Amino acid sequence: MPARLCETFQQALGADGVTVSLLPHTERWQLLHATTPFALHGEEGQFTLGDGPTVTASADGRTVLVPDVQGDVWQLTAPLAERLPGVRTVLALPLGRRNLQLGVITLYFARPHALAHEQVEYAQHAAQLAVAPFLRAQEAVLAEDDGSGPTPVEPWTTVYQAVGMLAARLGCPVHDALDLLRARSVTQSQSLPEVAADLLNGREGPGR
């Protein structure tokens, strides 16, 4: 279902890549599908920072449209444009009901894309049609670790393995371990998956 959903949005709005994620404003962010490497890298950049259109759409429960990433000033720990190379326009659509946020569908465009108001409204309506199945998916994620929840795609799997290892090593909460990995990725100009792989492979990393 995540793959079909993303592909439908990509074809309907002419995006260069689409992702769908669960709980992206939390440390339990799970990327369920990315239609292209271009979209995967865009989501990975936001995952590394813990901020961006996808995160804001989830945290605030509102649609976020960045018409031109290269021209907009986004209040992040690092410039958004640096973490989203090649991305020009981003449309992040929240999936939620009232005060319950489930996830976000994010569309990435390689060229500035002047989305008409009617197109954004259409996309918002279509996103709401996906709320019911994503409510069931979120319940699975929040359940006890019984193997029923969806499996995050790479590079999320590698990152969460490293986060778990670091949290156990330092005796700290998972969100603190994730923050440590993010801080290292920014200061060392490495992607979050690269930092995670270094830690898992026994190379120098946080907490060593």
Side-chain angles (χ1 to χ4, degrees), residues 178-197:
L178 180 56
D179 285 345
L180 285 172
L181 289 181
R182 282 172 167 158
R184 181 174 177 82
S185 73
V186 172
T187 58
Q188 298 297 320
S189 298
Q190 290 180 289
S191 72
L192 198 57
E194 288 172 338
V195 172

Side-chain angles (χ1 to χ4, degrees), residues 6 10 14-19 34-40 106-110:
C6 290
Q10 181 167 322
D16 295 292
V18 179
T19 62
T35 59
T36 62
F38 179 70
L40 176 62
T106 306
L107 291 80
Y108 294 90
F109 300 84

Side-chain angles (χ1 to χ4, degrees), residues 41-54:
H41 293 154
E43 206 80 347
E44 180 185 316
Q46 295 187 70
F47 187 37
T48 297
L49 291 172
D51 208 346
T54 298

Side-chain angles (χ1 to χ4, degrees), residues 23-172:
L23 307 174
H25 67 293
T26 74
E27 71 273 9
R28 305 191 72 174
W29 183 344
Q30 293 194 23
L31 175 64
L32 298 185
H33 187 72
T35 59
T36 62
F38 179 70
L40 176 62
H41 293 154
E43 206 80 347
E44 180 185 316
Q46 295 187 70
F47 187 37
T48 297
L49 291 172
D51 208 346
T54 298
V55 179
T56 300
S58 180
D60 295 349
R62 63 180 176 86
T63 296
V64 177
L65 172 62
V66 183
D68 190 350
V69 170
Q70 302 300 321
D72 282 274
V73 177
W74 195 272
Q75 299 301 315
L76 300 175
T77 54
L80 180 62
E82 291 182 8
R83 290 290 175 175
L84 304 182
V87 177
R88 296 302 298 269
T89 298
V90 180
L91 175 63
L93 304 160
L95 297 166
R97 288 178 175 172
R98 298 178 183 174
N99 295 325
L100 177 62
Q101 296 307 316
L102 310 174
V104 176
I105 299 169
T106 306
L107 291 80
Y108 294 90
F109 300 84
R111 298 170 303 281
H113 197 75
L115 290 167
H117 178 70
E118 293 77 11
Q119 289 178 299
V120 175
E121 283 192 334
Y122 164 79
Q124 290 173 319
H125 177 69
Q128 288 307 303
L129 295 178
V131 167
F134 272 86
L135 180 58
R136 294 193 293 271
Q138 190 206 38
E139 289 171 348
V141 171
L142 295 177
E144 294 295 329
D145 187 13
D146 58 4
S148 64
T151 301
V153 302
E154 290 288 357
W156 270 241
T157 301
T158 299
V159 172
Y160 284 130
Q161 288 173 347
V163 166
M165 176 186 294
L166 185 60
R169 176 185 297 172
L170 300 179
C172 67

